[in-house]
Amino acid sequence: MTELRPMQASDIEGLISWVPSVPLWHRYGLTAPKLTTQLEAALKAGDLLRVAYDQEAYGNQAACGFYWCQPKAAFGRSAYLKLIGVKEDYRDKGIGDALLETLEQELKGSSKDLFLLVSDFNEGAQRFYLRHGFEKLGRISSYVLPEVDEFIFRKILT
């Protein structure tokens, strides 16, 4: 059974055990020290951070999924989903769906919409967000990496 709860500083160690090895984030240069620094700062800033745990497999030892959302980082007025991820052996089990649905509930009343970027080569993520009611608005060429375009996605929260 998977449970979601707000991220705590003690969760970071479990996340850095697998997040930097995900090929997507490895390609973007996300290292364990960098992720640690970023998540510690996000916790202090009051960003929206949640972790998912498989209680049967891990108890409260290591997260199998997480999200990081900055409440007003999109154009200074809308929520921006900076990172969301599920450990490889937990994918296709509804954890990403649960994380995203929890975030949308958490944002109700504080943000009219949710923005995010998706790499042009990450077709699985594009399908995931489209399935969840996001609209692909446009493309930013070579925004983060010179050879990769980022698609802007938006969902109007009701």
Side-chain angles (χ1 to χ4, degrees):
M1 179 173 144
T2 304
E3 294 185 21
L4 275 62
R5 66 168 174 75
M7 186 184 294
Q8 302 168 5
S10 59
D11 295 314
I12 295 173
E13 186 176 338
L15 289 170
I16 64 169
S17 72
W18 63 270
V19 171
S21 66
V22 172
L24 171 70
W25 291 327
H26 181 73
R27 183 173 182 178
Y28 280 84
L30 187 60
T31 63
K34 188 174 183 179
L35 181 62
T36 299
T37 299
Q38 290 178 347
L39 291 178
E40 287 172 349
L43 283 167
K44 287 179 185 171
D47 289 352
L48 305 176
L49 297 122
R50 284 213 180 262
V51 289
Y53 283 89
D54 180 345
Q55 292 295 329
E56 294 173 10
Y58 292 111
N60 283 326
Q61 299 304 309
C64 60
F66 76 105
Y67 69 70
W68 172 11
C69 180
Q70 297 171 309
K72 299 292 181 192
F75 311 109
R77 61 177 283 149
S78 299
Y80 174 69
L81 180 57
K82 187 165 178 78
L83 293 176
I84 186 170
V86 176
K87 195 172 182 180
E88 189 171 358
D89 50 337
Y90 283 88
R91 293 187 186 148
D92 299 320
K93 296 183 180 186
I95 295 170
D97 299 327
L99 286 163
L100 192 54
E101 289 165 15
T102 299
L103 174 58
E104 289 177 17
Q105 288 300 315
E106 194 170 0
L107 289 170
K108 289 221 172 172
S110 66
S111 185
K112 292 182 180 181
D113 39 28
L114 175 59
F115 285 86
L116 56 95
L117 296 177
V118 179
S119 308
D120 59 2
F121 62 85
N122 195 346
E123 294 173 359
Q126 293 174 46
R127 286 190 302 273
F128 174 79
Y129 293 116
L130 290 170
R131 189 173 69 245
H132 282 276
F134 283 79
E135 177 184 5
K136 188 187 298 187
L137 298 178
R139 174 190 301 252
I140 306 173
S141 297
S142 302
Y143 182 63
V144 181
L145 296 175
E147 72 279 8
V148 178
D149 292 347
E150 303 293 334
F151 289 116
I152 305 167
F153 280 72
R154 174 189 184 205
K155 181 173 186 178
I156 298 173
L157 304 173
T158 55

